[in-house]
Amino acid sequence: MKFIPPFGLGTFRLKDQVAIDSVRTGLELGYRHIDTAQIYGNETAIGQAIAASSVARDELFVTTKIWTENLGSGRVLASLQESLQRLGLERVDLTLIHWPSPNDEIPVAQYLSELLEAKRQGLTAAIGVSNFTIAHLRQAIDAVGVDEIATNQVEIHPLLQNRQLVDFARQQGIHLTAYMPLAYGKVLAEPAIQRIAAAHGASPAQVALAWSLQQGYAVIPSSTKRENLAANLAAAELRLSAADMAAIATLERGERVANPGFAPRWD
């Protein structure tokens, strides 16, 4: 598997021409990791943006996610084939289970085994999970082995540092991808983040993204504005001090943004 690029372009809530423009601009600026999902309803638009770009396919890292309605027997593979058709790709680089089956109606072992079969068939270079709790990660490890879990994509930002889950993932050697790394902008209003940004001549968004990157997470912020896309990408160059990291550590308050009614019982 190709290494998961630490900086990706998220596409949640981007549709149609807005999604095409965001991905096209991102690719022009140097993004090479594009993150989508079946439920986003934008795989076709993203496929169009990729096809229209001059970036070679082997330079790109494309992630999609299997929606909960497609976790039933036979649907994992079939739905991934449909995703590939929409994306206009022969295979994706990473396919994630988007959420555990609501109320655990379908066993983790069943749908992850199907996803592993999709990898064996060459539909995806790697597999992983998203929104998995410690309990779900244990089941995933039992089902396919820890080496097959390329990442767990979860909500992590300075206001929700998810420490129990992070500690478990690190103990197991499971990589983490932080989604909603800016908590829909809530992080940017934090005085501590603003102070650190001012001291570095950086933006609050860059500080929050650098905080995630320095802990080894991949980040997938989204934006529709060229200047924000460029500024976000520049966060990879920002180095925060130990004092900066310690100050941000105090901002943890369990402020979760993504918490739909079918979400698992969080750690």
Side-chain angles (χ1 to χ4, degrees):
M1 178 198 116
K2 285 192 280 188
F3 174 68
I4 300 174
F7 217 103
L9 179 60
T11 63
F12 178 51
R13 292 189 171 172
L14 305 186
K15 294 284 176 73
D16 306 321
Q17 193 62 43
V18 173
I20 292 172
D21 291 345
S22 176
V23 173
R24 187 185 65 219
T25 303
L27 292 174
E28 287 172 6
L29 291 169
Y31 286 81
R32 292 296 179 263
H33 175 186
I34 310 296
D35 181 276
T36 183
Q38 293 172 346
I39 197 65
Y40 297 174
N42 61 15
E43 288 174 318
T44 300
I46 285 162
Q48 289 171 358
I50 289 171
S53 83
S54 58
V55 180
R57 174 65 185 96
D58 63 2
E59 290 181 28
L60 283 178
F61 191 97
V62 181
T63 300
T64 195
K65 310 179 200 79
I66 307 292
W67 187 239
T68 54
E69 290 175 2
N70 294 325
L71 296 180
S73 181
R75 282 299 300 152
V76 173
L77 258 99
S79 73
L80 180 53
Q81 288 167 328
E82 290 160 13
S83 286
L84 292 173
Q85 206 164 14
R86 287 189 290 269
L87 287 161
L89 300 175
E90 290 184 7
R91 76 172 184 175
V92 285
D93 299 286
L94 176 62
T95 305
L96 307 178
I97 298 298
H98 203 154
W99 290 85
S101 176
N103 301 313
D104 292 321
E105 287 174 13
I106 302 167
V108 169
Q110 181 181 318
Y111 51 76
L112 264 185
S113 296
E114 276 205 43
L115 192 54
L116 184 57
E117 178 57 28
K119 178 185 172 182
R120 290 185 180 126
Q121 290 186 20
L123 304 179
T124 183
I127 66 172
V129 297
S130 179
N131 297 300
F132 268 39
T133 63
I134 292 171
H136 287 109
L137 282 177
R138 289 187 195 279
Q139 293 174 56
I141 291 166
D142 288 345
V144 296
V146 72
D147 292 344
E148 288 291 355
I149 305 167
T151 197
N152 183 19
Q153 186 180 122
V154 289
E155 182 179 347
I156 301 177
H157 46 74
L159 309 182
L160 179 74
Q161 299 184 22
N162 231 329
R163 289 180 183 140
Q164 273 184 283
L165 179 68
V166 168
D167 288 347
F168 178 79
R170 284 185 172 147
Q171 287 162 18
Q172 300 297 322
I174 295 174
H175 175 268
L176 293 164
T177 300
Y179 74 72
M180 291 182 182
L182 307 178
Y184 277 149
K186 288 182 182 180
V187 170
L188 313 186
E190 288 296 313
I193 298 282
Q194 293 176 347
R195 280 196 301 273
I196 294 166
H200 285 276
S203 70
Q206 288 171 331
V207 169
L209 294 169
W211 172 82
S212 279
L213 291 168
Q214 273 179 235
Q215 293 177 87
Y217 311 147
V219 290
I220 47 170
S222 66
S223 181
T224 57
K225 297 179 180 174
R226 176 180 284 269
E227 56 269 29
N228 290 347
L229 286 164
N232 286 349
L233 199 54
E237 308 304 316
L238 176 61
R239 295 303 298 173
L240 301 178
S241 69
D244 295 335
M245 297 296 281
I248 296 171
T250 67
L251 300 180
E252 161 63 37
R253 52 177 182 251
E255 197 162 318
R256 191 176 294 278
V257 177
N259 199 18
F262 58 81
R265 187 185 297 265
W266 302 112
D267 298 301

